[in-house]
Amino acid sequence: MRLLTTLILFVSLITSCSQPTTPEKPPATPVDGHAIREHIQRLASDEMEGRAPGGKGEELATSYIADFYRSIGLRTQFQAVPMIGITSTVAPMKLTGKAGSQTLKFGEQFMAWSRLEKNNIPIDADLVFCGYGVVAPEYQWNDFKSDVKGKIIVVLINDPQLEDQSKFGGRAMTYYGRWTYKFEEAARQGAAGALIVHETQFAGYPWEVVRGSWSGEQFDIVRTDKGASTVPLQGWITRDVAAALFKSAGMDFDALKKKALDPEFRPIPLGIKAAVDLKNAMHRVDSKNVIGVLEGSERPDEYVIFTAHWDHLGVSEPQNGDKIYNGAVDNASGVALMMEIARAGTKAQVKPKRSIVFMAVTGEEQGLLGSDYYAENPVFPLNKTVANINIDEANVFGRNNGRIQVIGFGYTQLEDILKDVVAKQGRTMTADAEPQKGFYFRSDQFSFAKRGVPALYTKSVTVEDEHEFTEKRYHKPSDEFDPAWDMKAAVADGDALLEVALRVANGGEWPEWKPGTEFRAIREKSLKK
Ligand SMILES: [Zn+2]
């Protein structure tokens, strides 16, 4: 997924002052830039057809990674990831209340789909306004003080932005602000549906993005719970529709929005019934994760797991006569770096005490599907998984201004280890420059985080390089291998991440979530099992 632009805070501190201090004993053969370059070139070649899940590109890419793992002596296996492509056809939505009835137009006024693996999904239920739709024990917050089972909840986008910023991370978005969370919580509440009120200002993107993203085929993993973890109707309504809806129920949208910031807020029935029919066309795609294990010497059944997604967008709409979306930066580069970290890891002078796993996951571009499937069906128990380190887009541009950024800064103790490690390289660790965008929840580390496994995600790309990449190449056929790339920064990042992994693999205490973070309680519960 995509990353970010940073603000230039101040000019590099390190130009004059430092020869990086060498650690007493180098942990491993350093990561090799030539090898990273070769892996990227192969994985991003036209032959691999943009590495879409399920095709020839998948076959070639996953074999390439697995063969490499075997060649360096990792115990290697595949995890089958069954996926399903769903195209929902949605009829207009009929609303009936005291003030009469009206019909909403699909696309223009509402978006809806269903992840249920069923051909016909008729929905007909009462609308209930549930504020931000959040249950956050660490903030003593619960928007569901009454039962909404079988109802369609109407919820606000983002997390409650309290005036004093005393809860929900202040400026930083917490997971409670993400739309994915809203639907997950609706499922936990047993709701029949959830409609998120779209407001451009708070979502950070216009209605067209909602409309575009949710038209056409959507992918999901095949779920063993037969849909118990998904709310049958997932959808959005525009702000205008919401305002009119509340008005017809004799209420004022802005006033209710204010009310939703009160911790005493309770669900408010709107006295309106919503009915909509969805028809799903489905097709199955079989994909896989590639897993390589560097076995631990003392605690082989405890794991540090690296992840990097091997998939990209495949062959699609041509641009400038090119229809192969090679995904060289996104994320051949991340996989290449992980492979090279694995190789360097096998050469570590002292074998790691815990096992280190190198997992190339599928379906990230379709919604973190490979990592999500893994975390739902873990090969190695999550309560034996000490940490996750994810790499999505290596820094192939050479420059890093002596800084490495932690995305999701302030979440875990892993960043304390990283801080020390990069200081020894003569570099500085910095905070997530755009915490309000919630990037921590948008790549594969999140599949681990939301199930309680402490997860680290870093970036060292400079603002100029990131801007240029985002504008010219991100998710375009022009994201291709460039021989002019310089692997200096990628090598430094790789060395640092390997060192972090080795310290965790050999350390006494397990790294923890920092107090007050939303995943800490989940971890504590999972470790008690
Ligand atoms: Zn990516």
Side-chain angles (χ1 to χ4, degrees):
M1 285 230 140
R2 70 158 289 226
L3 261 245
L4 56 134
T5 47
T6 51
L7 299 165
I8 302 178
L9 299 172
F10 46 86
V11 181
S12 172
L13 298 166
I14 58 143
T15 37
S16 59
C17 62
S18 63
Q19 267 309 323
T21 19
T22 338
E24 305 129 46
K25 203 195 311 167
T29 331
V31 162
D32 171 10
H34 296 288
I36 300 171
R37 176 188 294 274
E38 270 170 35
H39 292 319
I40 300 176
Q41 202 168 0
R42 270 303 289 282
L43 290 166
S45 64
D46 281 355
E47 192 195 4
M48 297 225 182
E49 297 182 345
R51 305 184 308 282
K56 174 189 147 204
E58 154 153 6
E59 201 44 53
L60 291 173
T62 54
S63 307
Y64 178 75
I65 300 162
D67 288 348
F68 177 78
Y69 282 171
R70 288 187 197 103
S71 78
I72 59 170
L74 300 186
R75 203 176 74 223
T76 304
Q77 67 185 96
F78 293 108
Q79 177 183 39
V81 179
M83 296 185 195
I84 184 149
I86 299 176
T87 310
S88 291
T89 308
V90 186
M93 185 184 291
K94 198 169 175 204
L95 302 171
T96 316
K98 276 184 290 209
S101 69
Q102 57 162 320
T103 305
L104 298 184
K105 276 192 202 128
F106 178 73
E108 254 164 69
Q109 294 177 299
F110 79 105
M111 287 304 294
W113 61 97
S114 180
R115 288 172 180 251
L116 287 185
E117 284 177 51
K118 285 184 187 165
N119 293 112
N120 291 302
I121 301 130
I123 306 275
D124 188 355
D126 292 324
L127 295 178
V128 183
F129 176 60
C130 293
Y132 287 88
V134 166
V135 180
E138 67 278 25
Y139 299 125
Q140 299 84 49
W141 195 278
N142 183 357
D143 284 329
F144 297 98
K145 295 186 189 74
S146 59
D147 190 8
V148 297
K149 215 162 264 150
K151 317 267 194 225
I152 298 171
I153 64 169
V154 177
V155 292
L156 301 166
I157 186 68
N158 223 325
D159 45 23
Q161 299 287 300
L162 306 185
E163 218 149 273
D164 62 0
Q165 304 215 327
S166 60
K167 293 174 177 175
F168 298 100
R171 187 171 76 99
M173 187 197 277
T174 65
Y175 184 46
Y176 303 115
R178 290 280 294 161
W179 57 265
T180 45
Y181 169 81
K182 313 277 178 186
F183 294 139
E184 287 167 10
E185 190 55 46
R188 280 190 285 272
Q189 299 294 331
L195 296 171
I196 301 172
V197 180
H198 174 266
E199 294 182 273
T200 303
Q201 187 193 345
F202 303 108
Y205 40 83
W207 175 252
E208 287 67 39
V209 171
V210 176
R211 186 176 178 163
S213 311
W214 296 106
S215 305
E217 189 173 40
Q218 306 294 323
F219 283 83
D220 197 4
I221 54 175
V222 173
R223 295 180 189 273
T224 41
D225 63 8
K226 298 271 175 264
S229 67
T230 171
V231 60
L233 170 74
Q234 305 190 348
W236 295 75
I237 52 177
T238 63
R239 190 192 184 282
D240 289 349
V241 165
L245 199 66
F246 282 59
K247 203 169 169 201
S248 76
M251 299 172 207
D252 178 65
F253 179 67
D254 287 314
L256 283 187
K257 250 189 98 169
K258 237 184 223 143
K259 222 172 178 180
L261 291 174
D262 182 348
E264 298 308 310
F265 172 86
R266 302 179 65 87
I268 301 169
L270 295 179
I272 296 169
K273 247 183 180 333
V276 60
D277 283 332
L278 296 98
K279 291 197 190 327
N280 277 354
M282 292 163 280
H283 95 272
R284 170 87 176 238
V285 173
D286 286 306
S287 190
K288 52 187 170 298
N289 296 329
V290 190
I291 297 171
V293 183
L294 175 58
E295 185 118 356
S297 58
E298 284 178 27
R299 296 167 182 269
D301 62 341
E302 292 179 8
Y303 306 88
V304 178
I305 301 185
F306 275 94
T307 44
H309 73 88
W310 62 254
D311 68 296
H312 194 59
L313 304 172
V315 176
S316 188
E317 212 50 39
Q319 290 184 18
N320 301 321
D322 186 0
K323 58 182 181 172
I324 301 175
Y325 289 63
N326 304 77
V329 168
D330 187 11
N331 186 30
S333 71
V335 173
L337 181 55
M338 180 175 71
M339 290 164 75
E340 190 38 32
I341 291 172
R343 190 204 54 79
T346 62
K347 303 287 182 210
Q349 289 176 347
V350 182
K351 230 184 156 199
K353 292 179 182 162
R354 298 188 175 91
S355 295
I356 303 182
V357 176
F358 300 91
M359 181 157 56
V361 293
T362 181
E364 192 272 352
E365 303 287 6
Q366 305 284 357
L368 319 182
L369 296 183
S371 56
D372 194 42
Y373 186 84
Y374 174 86
E376 288 263 297
N377 307 276
V379 175
F380 314 111
L382 295 181
N383 61 7
K384 293 284 179 191
T385 301
V386 185
N388 166 244
I389 300 173
N390 184 47
I391 307 173
D392 195 350
E393 300 182 4
N395 183 353
V396 295
F397 308 111
R399 293 166 291 269
N400 67 26
N401 288 347
R403 288 198 287 269
I404 186 162
Q405 204 184 148
V406 173
I407 308 302
F409 183 74
Y411 268 116
T412 79
Q413 291 175 342
L414 290 164
E415 68 192 39
D416 304 333
I417 303 173
L418 179 76
K419 188 177 178 186
D420 189 52
V421 167
V422 298
K424 293 209 159 79
Q425 293 180 316
R427 296 202 291 171
T428 313
M429 186 183 83
T430 63
D432 192 339
E434 295 183 299
Q436 71 279 14
K437 293 199 173 161
F439 284 117
Y440 189 62
F441 317 120
R442 293 161 69 169
S443 186
D444 295 301
Q445 70 283 342
F446 185 60
S447 298
F448 289 84
K450 78 174 183 188
R451 290 169 180 90
V453 178
L456 180 69
Y457 180 37
T458 64
K459 279 278 148 174
S460 70
V461 179
T462 63
V463 63
E464 296 82 5
D465 289 332
E466 186 66 36
H467 267 170
E468 178 165 332
F469 173 72
T470 303
E471 237 172 71
K472 297 191 181 149
R473 281 180 265 282
Y474 172 70
H475 281 197
K476 293 184 178 144
S478 52
D479 180 6
E480 291 183 306
F481 177 75
D482 181 347
W485 279 344
D486 174 348
M487 296 298 157
K488 198 163 59 237
V491 165
D493 291 351
D495 285 340
L497 295 179
L498 173 56
E499 174 67 12
V500 170
L502 287 169
R503 287 197 192 183
V504 174
N506 294 324
E509 298 289 303
W510 288 24
E512 287 180 10
W513 292 97
K514 299 209 166 179
T517 54
E518 59 263 41
F519 309 111
R520 192 176 158 94
I522 302 170
R523 180 62 157 179
E524 281 165 1
K525 203 169 144 201
S526 135
L527 292 182
K528 275 191 206 119
K529 276 184 199 159

